[in-house]
């Protein structure tokens, strides 16, 4: 199935419209989510001397931007939702881009790390290779990309008012490798549970 420009526009506008509508509830509902395992997975692979410049791709209302800032790093946010971008700027004072994920304009080789937590699954599979190459280009040589997505059976489609594309490990590894990344590690979340109770696939990748 090939998605046409009108399909992609609908996917973007409907998904972002949902997040704009539920922004306040989303901020309250995710404020206390513990993603320290994921933040640590990114930071421990960064090379060089901190502070590091980190792009929080799909930053939402800015929870993790605040965490990176408190840790002494230079955090920059990016979200497609106008409400989320506004919240993130107000709550953490960071630089925040408001950009459609399918129409990115990223600076070249600016970031030591990119933190893409629970976000890349919203990008239709046919568009992912291009987006991953854009993220690759925004990283400094040796930079690191972290991603976490709901794992799946390589299907995609609507889940209520949100569009999602759900990859298994082999398919995700193929996409990232083709985009020029080298895998550093992967794991399933939440930690300590049987695999069938671990819906999230997290992985860490380096730009050579």
């Amino acid at each position: 199935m090939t998605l046409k420009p009108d399909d992609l526009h609908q996917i973007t506008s409907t998904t972002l419209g949902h997040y704009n509508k539920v922004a306040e509830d989303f901020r309250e509902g995710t404020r206390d989510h513990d993603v320290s395992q994921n933040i640590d997975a990114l930071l421990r692979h960064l090379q060089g001397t901190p502070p590091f410049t980190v792009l929080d791709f799909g930053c939402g209302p800015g929870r993790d931007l605040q965490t990176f800032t408190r840790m002494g790093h230079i955090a920059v946010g990016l979200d497609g939702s106008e409400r989320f971008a506004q919240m993130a700027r107000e709550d953490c004072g960071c630089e925040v881009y408001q950009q459609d994920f399918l129409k990115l304009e990223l600076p070249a080789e600016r970031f030591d790390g990119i933190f893409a937590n629970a976000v890349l699954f919203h990008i239709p599979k046919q568009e992912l290779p291009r987006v991953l190459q854009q993220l690759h280009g925004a990283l400094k040589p040796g930079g690191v990309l972290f991603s976490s997505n709901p794992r799946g059976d390589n299907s995609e489609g609507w889940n209520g008012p949100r569009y999602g594309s759900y990859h298994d490990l082999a398919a995700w590894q193929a996409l990232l490798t083709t985009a020029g990344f080298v895998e550093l590690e992967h794991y399933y979340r939440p930690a300590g549970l049987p695999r069938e109770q671990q819906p999230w696939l997290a992985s860490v990748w380096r730009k050579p």
Side-chain angles (χ1 to χ4, degrees), residues 23-24 27 60-62 82-92:
E24 291 290 350
R27 175 163 58 181
E82 183 179 356
R83 286 289 294 121
F84 281 166
Q86 179 185 3
M87 287 175 167
R89 292 187 193 104
E90 291 172 352
D91 285 358
C92 65

Side-chain angles (χ1 to χ4, degrees), residues 9-66:
H9 176 74
Q10 182 188 9
I11 286 169
T12 297
S13 61
T14 303
T15 302
L16 290 180
H18 167 73
Y19 280 120
N20 282 326
K21 184 177 179 180
V22 303
E24 291 290 350
D25 289 340
F26 185 92
R27 175 163 58 181
E28 292 307 312
T30 60
R31 187 187 299 276
D32 297 323
H33 282 191
D34 181 7
V35 295
S36 57
Q37 180 185 17
N38 294 345
I39 290 173
D40 292 345
L42 171 69
L43 293 178
R44 71 168 165 266
H45 289 291
L46 296 183
Q47 299 172 332
T49 304
F52 296 113
T53 302
V54 176
L55 175 65
D56 186 354
F57 185 82
C59 64
R63 177 198 64 207
D64 301 331
L65 287 172
Q66 296 182 56

